[in-house]
Amino acid sequence: MDKKQVYLVSLCISFLMIVSGYAFSQNRHEIDSISALNKSEKNKEKLADNYNNLANLYSHGDIDSAYIFVKKALEISKKAGYKNGEAEAYYLFSYFDDRKGNLEKAIENLQEAIDIYTELGDSSYLAGCYNNLGVLYSYGTDQKTSLEYFIKAMNLAEEINETFALSEAYSNIASNYEFLKEYVSALKYYNKALEVDIKANNLHNIAFSYISVGSINLKLQRFESAHDSLMKAKQLISLVDDNYRKTELYIHLADYFIETERIDSARSHIQIAREINSKENYNRLNADILTLEGDLLLKQKNYSGCLVLYDKAIEQYLKQDVHDALYDIYMNKSAALSELGKHEKAYEILKKAQKLNEDFKPQEIAKTLGDFEYSEKLKEEKQRLRLEQEILNEKGKNDLILIRAKLHRAIFSIAFLLAIIVLVIYFYVVKRKHNSVLEENYKVIQEQKTQLEENFLELKTHEKKLIQLNATKDKFFSIIAHDLKNPFNVLIGLSDIVISDPDVRHSKDFEEIIDGIFQTAKSGYNLLDNLLKWARSQTGEIDYKPEVIDMAEIVLINTTFFRESAKSKKIEINNFIPSNLEVLADYNMVNFVVRNILNNAIKFSFLNGKIEINASQSDNNYIFSIQDYGIGMNKETEEKLFKIESTNPKPGTANEMGTGLGLIICKEFVEKNGGEIWVESQERKGSCFYFRLPGTENKM
């Protein structure tokens, strides 16, 4: 480590000492106040509580002094028969023994506390005791018993809403998932602990929870999240006087820097952890620091050096009867020995690790956790049902209030009604005959009113139908009066020319006039035919005869039919309908629809244009499309396209004329076959007409 790094480490330690001094000065004031009270306190129970409080205040910074005060509290409590003071003293003894590494004594003292709190029925302290007892058992190999105490603590804490114990229980359960390397589940319970701590605004526990969350994120290789959590813990830990947690924080920070291969930062944080722990010399943390130093040397490939440190750590752990950290050390030792070529020793250490893992009985832990998760799901379900019941109960109360309100209104209404009845009877007696006439008139008026309302509704319905029929009728007669009259006017005019002027018959214009007569007659016939088809579809006279038809055949027939029309405008028709594509529909109706849409596509296509005919399947239906790249239409025209009252036929690109009824009939026919028709169009870019027909799978 160079001079600059030494300076930075010294600066960090100095800062921590200043912050710790500030926190301790706050505790110092409280310690002095309690000590002053003890000089004059005569009540033995209060005196015992004061000594327990002093022990608790000294617990994070001066364990030896804490031991002295808790011993006094225990002696006074026993003499005074003060059970609460006695139980708390045993609880604190266990806590101090744990931090000093006296595991057997810690369990013994904690069991004494549990017995007394059970006798007193103090669930709050019992939850804390179960948590601590689970932690003490977790150091050994009886992880199943440890987990059972954690679950017991959690259930009790949830029952009485004891946030401190609940947070610890969640963290301890998370540690069991961590042992099984179920890091995602572990993170879930560490985060639950953090949520409880934040709600309770317990800075000490929040800092500890952030350390745990950071450690798990590190194991999940979520380095950014791990760093964020550990930095939050660092900010909070400076506000509490707890050298044990501060040492833990710097151990985890050093572990983070080892994992991210920032060796100098890892080394400096290990040094800070050692400096802080030297004030209390916590045996467990000394062993943890030795392990971390071994991990650092392993990362640097100093295999001989890391083995020495691992052996020292193992020795300290075993002196404290702590086994939970040994598995990872054995695995790292085995790896180091293997790198040094000492494969037999590596294999022996690996067997030790496997034996230790078997002693922990991970299957039992996993089974207990599985049972726990199942019970949690049952608990959540019960909670959900309870909430639903509460909602129903609340609704019942509200309904009862409403019923009472209605009852009060009913009583008032009845009273008011009785008063009216009395008046009515009075007037009835006085003017019986007159009232009888009025009642009869009233009934007649009510009946007439009801009849008028019914007639009004019926008239409104008929009015709507009449408006629609009038629009249809007007359009129908407009077509007859205008569109059908025009062909006859042309026929009469051309015929008159031929009849009145004999020279025309021998002129070169004769064939053109005859062709004009033919085309006009054909146009008039088509219009009349379309009108008749539409009229028959409206009256239901067209028979609907569904059958299995081949769409490829229909499209081929119509493309052949319009070949010359398309050829005259140099239009290319591309048919992409596969063979044997069958639908269930009326042949004549479908043929009409294809012919009409294809005719329109040719009519409104530009010279040298292109038309594409495609099909696609949607569930048990087929969607057919006929796409042209002609004049297209705007949205307003598109919306009016299938409405008879809005038809306004436009000439084609070669002045071809239409009736405006073709698409109306297409819509009638497609819907008659259980399908639908629609269009997508843009001006100057063309139109694509789609129609959907049922496939043969719809056949019953």
Side-chain angles (χ1 to χ4, degrees):
M1 189 183 297
D2 59 27
K3 290 182 179 180
K4 184 178 180 182
Q5 290 169 340
V6 171
Y7 172 73
L8 289 171
V9 172
S10 302
L11 190 64
C12 288
I13 294 170
S14 300
F15 172 75
L16 283 168
M17 289 176 68
I18 291 167
V19 173
S20 298
Y22 172 73
F24 185 73
S25 66
Q26 290 181 311
N27 280 354
R28 183 78 256 176
H29 175 72
E30 195 171 351
I31 288 167
D32 291 341
S33 298
I34 295 172
S35 298
L37 285 172
N38 281 353
K39 292 176 182 178
S40 58
E41 185 60 68
K42 301 298 181 185
N43 187 302
K44 297 297 182 183
E45 292 185 0
K46 288 183 180 179
L47 192 61
D49 287 339
N50 287 343
Y51 279 121
N52 276 328
N53 287 338
L54 282 170
N56 197 28
L57 289 168
Y58 275 104
S59 64
H60 301 309
D62 186 354
I63 290 289
D64 293 332
S65 297
Y67 262 115
I68 293 169
F69 288 118
V70 77
K71 190 175 180 181
K72 285 184 179 180
L74 183 59
E75 289 172 357
I76 294 168
S77 296
K78 282 185 174 181
K79 287 179 182 178
Y82 180 39
K83 290 292 184 181
N84 274 316
E86 189 179 343
E88 187 175 357
Y90 278 124
Y91 180 87
L92 290 171
F93 265 130
S94 173
Y95 180 70
F96 302 150
D97 289 332
D98 175 24
R99 291 208 161 184
K100 281 293 186 180
N102 301 325
L103 181 60
E104 189 175 341
K105 193 66 178 171
I107 292 175
E108 183 183 328
N109 283 321
L110 191 56
Q111 194 58 60
E112 291 282 356
I114 289 173
D115 291 342
I116 297 171
Y117 282 131
T118 302
E119 181 186 339
L120 294 172
D122 192 329
S123 298
S124 179
Y125 275 100
L126 268 176
C129 288
Y130 289 141
N131 263 323
N132 286 8
L133 194 56
V135 170
L136 295 176
Y137 273 106
S138 73
Y139 297 155
T141 57
D142 192 359
Q143 298 294 312
K144 181 175 180 292
T145 301
S146 167
L147 177 57
E148 287 170 348
Y149 277 118
F150 293 151
I151 294 171
K152 197 171 183 179
M154 186 203 75
N155 290 331
L156 193 55
E158 284 182 341
E159 186 180 330
I160 62 175
N161 196 27
E162 171 52 59
T163 56
F164 188 90
L166 185 58
S167 166
E168 286 194 337
Y170 284 148
S171 293
N172 292 330
I173 290 169
S175 68
N176 278 271
Y177 280 112
E178 189 175 353
F179 170 75
L180 293 176
K181 302 192 185 313
E182 296 283 344
Y183 297 132
V184 174
S185 296
L187 184 60
K188 170 188 170 183
Y189 279 93
Y190 279 134
N191 277 323
K192 287 181 79 170
L194 180 59
E195 288 174 13
V196 172
D197 294 332
I198 290 171
K199 285 180 183 177
N201 197 28
N202 187 320
L203 297 182
H204 183 277
N205 275 17
I206 294 171
F208 174 64
S209 290
Y210 273 126
I211 292 171
S212 301
V213 170
S215 174
I216 284 295
N217 276 316
L218 186 60
K219 289 179 178 178
L220 286 167
Q221 301 288 297
R222 299 173 181 172
F223 297 120
E224 188 175 344
S225 297
H227 184 264
D228 288 346
S229 296
L230 291 173
M231 287 300 102
K232 287 176 182 176
K234 189 176 180 181
Q235 288 177 336
L236 292 167
I237 209 73
S238 62
L239 304 176
V240 296
D241 181 27
D242 188 344
N243 287 332
Y244 194 93
R245 293 299 182 214
K246 286 175 185 174
T247 306
E248 277 191 326
L249 170 65
Y250 280 90
I251 286 172
H252 284 288
L253 281 168
D255 191 22
Y256 165 78
F257 289 120
I258 290 172
E259 287 294 319
T260 54
E261 298 185 354
R262 294 159 67 180
I263 303 303
D264 291 338
S265 296
R267 190 180 293 113
S268 64
H269 280 78
I270 291 172
Q271 181 62 26
I272 294 170
R274 189 174 290 286
E275 290 287 342
I276 298 170
N277 193 50
S278 65
K279 298 172 186 176
E280 301 297 336
N281 199 27
Y282 296 119
N283 293 329
R284 169 63 191 253
L285 295 182
N286 277 331
D288 289 345
I289 292 168
L290 284 169
T291 303
L292 198 60
E293 288 175 324
D295 292 343
L296 180 58
L297 291 180
L298 181 64
K299 196 77 171 180
Q300 293 176 291
K301 299 183 179 179
N302 183 349
Y303 303 119
S304 299
C306 77
L307 287 171
V308 173
L309 290 170
Y310 284 148
D311 286 337
K312 287 182 180 179
I314 291 168
E315 183 182 355
Q316 289 203 22
Y317 282 130
L318 291 176
K319 279 182 182 178
Q320 301 168 64
D321 199 22
V322 171
H323 299 269
D324 60 332
L326 294 180
Y327 179 80
D328 289 336
I329 297 177
Y330 286 149
M331 294 300 290
N332 287 344
K333 269 194 73 176
S334 177
L337 287 166
S338 182
E339 291 291 340
L340 291 170
K342 300 177 181 180
H343 298 296
E344 287 186 12
K345 286 187 177 181
Y347 179 64
E348 288 175 10
I349 296 298
L350 189 61
K351 285 200 295 185
K352 271 190 177 183
Q354 290 172 345
K355 175 66 169 62
L356 181 65
N357 188 55
E358 289 171 4
D359 291 341
F360 277 111
K361 298 181 178 67
Q363 296 88 351
E364 290 186 1
I365 299 171
K367 183 181 182 304
T368 304
L369 282 172
D371 293 341
F372 163 71
E373 289 293 350
Y374 179 71
S375 65
E376 283 298 290
K377 285 181 181 178
L378 288 179
K379 193 189 296 181
E380 288 174 6
E381 182 63 20
K382 285 179 182 177
Q383 176 72 1
R384 185 185 66 79
L385 292 173
R386 186 182 64 79
L387 288 172
E388 288 179 358
Q389 189 58 47
E390 286 179 1
I391 291 168
L392 288 173
N393 291 341
E394 196 63 33
K395 185 178 180 297
K397 289 178 183 177
N398 292 336
D399 290 344
L400 185 60
I401 292 169
L402 287 172
I403 289 168
R404 286 176 178 171
K406 288 178 180 178
L407 183 61
H408 291 154
R409 286 198 297 270
I411 291 170
F412 176 78
S413 299
I414 290 168
F416 182 72
L417 187 60
L418 285 172
I420 292 174
I421 290 170
V422 169
L423 288 173
V424 169
I425 291 172
Y426 171 75
F427 284 110
Y428 178 75
V429 171
V430 175
K431 299 181 178 179
R432 183 170 51 187
K433 186 176 179 180
H434 179 68
N435 285 344
S436 178
V437 173
L438 287 176
E439 285 176 4
E440 287 296 324
N441 290 341
Y442 177 76
K443 286 180 182 178
V444 172
I445 290 169
Q446 284 297 106
E447 289 173 359
Q448 290 175 345
K449 178 187 173 185
T450 303
Q451 187 63 43
L452 284 171
E453 288 174 349
E454 291 175 356
N455 291 343
F456 178 75
L457 290 173
E458 191 175 347
L459 283 171
K460 290 292 286 184
T461 304
H462 287 314
E463 182 185 7
K464 287 180 182 178
K465 289 182 180 178
L466 189 59
I467 290 169
Q468 187 176 358
L469 286 171
N470 277 337
T472 304
K473 179 204 63 160
D474 291 345
K475 187 63 183 179
F476 187 78
F477 284 114
S478 171
I479 291 168
I480 294 172
H482 182 269
D483 295 350
L484 194 59
K485 187 172 74 174
N486 281 344
F488 284 106
N489 288 335
V490 172
L491 285 172
I492 292 167
L494 291 174
S495 300
D496 184 56
I497 291 171
V498 173
I499 294 169
S500 61
D501 189 354
D503 295 335
V504 171
R505 301 175 195 173
H506 306 289
S507 71
K508 60 182 179 180
D509 295 328
F510 183 69
E511 287 185 7
E512 186 177 339
I513 292 170
I514 292 300
D515 184 62
I517 291 170
F518 173 75
Q519 292 297 336
T520 304
K522 182 180 176 182
S523 173
Y525 175 79
N526 286 338
L527 175 60
L528 185 60
D529 186 51
N530 282 348
L531 281 170
L532 290 171
K533 275 191 173 70
W534 177 79
R536 289 174 66 196
S537 71
Q538 294 296 300
T539 56
E541 290 182 7
I542 293 180
D543 291 333
Y544 166 61
K545 297 177 180 178
E547 59 181 305
V548 175
I549 57 176
D550 187 344
M551 285 300 293
E553 179 188 330
I554 287 182
V555 172
L556 180 61
I557 290 170
N558 282 284
T559 52
T560 303
F561 181 80
F562 286 114
R563 183 182 298 159
E564 292 303 319
S565 299
K567 190 174 179 182
S568 68
K569 296 177 78 172
K570 298 181 180 179
I571 294 169
E572 178 186 349
I573 301 176
N574 296 318
N575 176 15
F576 299 111
I577 305 295
S579 60
N580 298 322
L581 195 158
E582 296 179 333
V583 296
L584 184 66
D586 185 289
Y587 182 91
N588 292 323
M589 291 184 182
V590 174
N591 187 52
F592 179 87
V593 171
V594 173
R595 181 167 297 185
N596 192 275
I597 296 175
L598 186 57
N599 181 47
N600 284 347
I602 295 168
K603 182 192 300 183
F604 296 111
S605 287
F606 296 118
L607 194 67
N608 298 313
K610 181 172 64 173
I611 295 171
E612 295 175 349
I613 306 171
N614 283 289
S616 62
Q617 189 169 7
S618 174
D619 295 330
N620 294 331
N621 299 299
Y622 287 99
I623 297 174
F624 301 92
S625 63
I626 300 178
Q627 168 80 57
D628 68 67
Y629 298 91
I631 63 175
M633 65 189 88
N634 57 29
K635 287 293 178 186
E636 185 180 355
T637 304
E638 193 177 312
E639 288 172 2
K640 295 177 179 179
L641 206 57
F642 298 104
K643 299 175 181 178
I644 180 117
E645 65 272 17
S646 306
T647 53
N648 185 21
K650 292 184 178 180
T653 53
N655 288 319
E656 303 100 321
M657 292 306 297
T659 65
L661 281 175
L663 288 176
I664 307 297
I665 299 170
C666 284
K667 183 175 185 296
E668 295 279 349
F669 283 177
V670 169
E671 289 177 354
K672 189 86 171 177
N673 282 275
E676 61 178 324
I677 187 169
W678 69 96
V679 65
E680 293 176 0
S681 181
Q682 282 185 291
E683 287 188 283
R684 306 298 298 174
K685 290 186 179 180
S687 303
C688 186
F689 281 83
Y690 298 89
F691 61 95
R692 177 178 55 78
L693 292 173
T696 55
E697 293 85 352
N698 294 299
K699 187 176 181 181
M700 297 301 289

